[in-house]
Amino acid sequence: MISVIPLYAALLGLIYIYLSVATLTRRKKILVALGDGGDKLLQKKMRAHGNFQEYVPISLILIGFAEYLGAASLFVHGLGVALLVGRISHAYGVSMLHEKLVFRVTGMALTFLSILLSSIAIFYLLYR
């Protein structure tokens, strides 16, 4: 029974809305409806938003499959926390005009860790 992953999907959904609004707010401020208009801060906000939408769906699908196949709730929570913290860290780092690389690197490391461990768990749970 899936009961853990919806919590993280909902939290990540709220972050997605935040990143969308941050991008839209910057667009409105500099009056750019399409593209980035050469604005460095808008470029950063767009990439934070885009990177989020590139990694979160596959991550949630993999964690959801691991949970569906019977992974322990504590393990699923660990994957969810790693993904959540990773995506917050990455979005924070990328969206800063003068980013601190540590946030970006930490974010990607935690995101990759959640994808890797979910994938390994799926193989283990399918073929044990």
Side-chain angles (χ1 to χ4, degrees), residues 55 59 63 78-90 102-118:
Y55 281 95
S59 301
I63 296 169
L79 295 171
V81 167
L83 179 61
L84 184 66
V85 171
R87 294 290 79 206
I88 290 169
S89 178
H90 186 271
V102 67
F103 292 108
R104 192 171 177 181
V105 171
T106 299
M108 286 312 301
L110 288 171
T111 300
F112 286 157
L113 183 65
S114 70
I115 292 170
L116 176 65
L117 292 178
S118 298

Side-chain angles (χ1 to χ4, degrees), residues 2 4-6 8-9 12 54-72 75-80 83 110-126:
I2 293 181
V4 175
I5 196 65
Y8 296 98
L12 289 159
E54 292 161 4
Y55 281 95
V56 169
I58 188 66
S59 301
L60 285 175
I61 289 167
L62 290 169
I63 296 169
F65 279 145
E67 182 175 22
Y68 174 78
L69 291 170
F75 179 71
V76 176
H77 275 294
L79 295 171
L83 179 61
L110 288 171
T111 300
F112 286 157
L113 183 65
S114 70
I115 292 170
L116 176 65
L117 292 178
S118 298
S119 298
I120 291 170
I122 290 167
F123 285 123
Y124 172 76
L125 293 164
L126 281 173

Side-chain angles (χ1 to χ4, degrees), residues 14-30:
L14 294 175
I15 295 167
Y16 185 77
I17 293 296
Y18 172 82
L19 294 172
S20 298
V21 169
T23 302
L24 292 170
T25 301
R26 183 64 184 170
R27 286 186 179 285
K28 185 176 179 183
K29 183 175 182 175
I30 63 170

Side-chain angles (χ1 to χ4, degrees), residues 34-47:
L34 190 60
D36 59 37
D39 185 82
K40 296 290 184 197
L41 187 54
L42 179 55
Q43 291 171 4
K44 303 286 275 167
K45 291 184 180 297
M46 288 171 62
R47 277 317 306 146

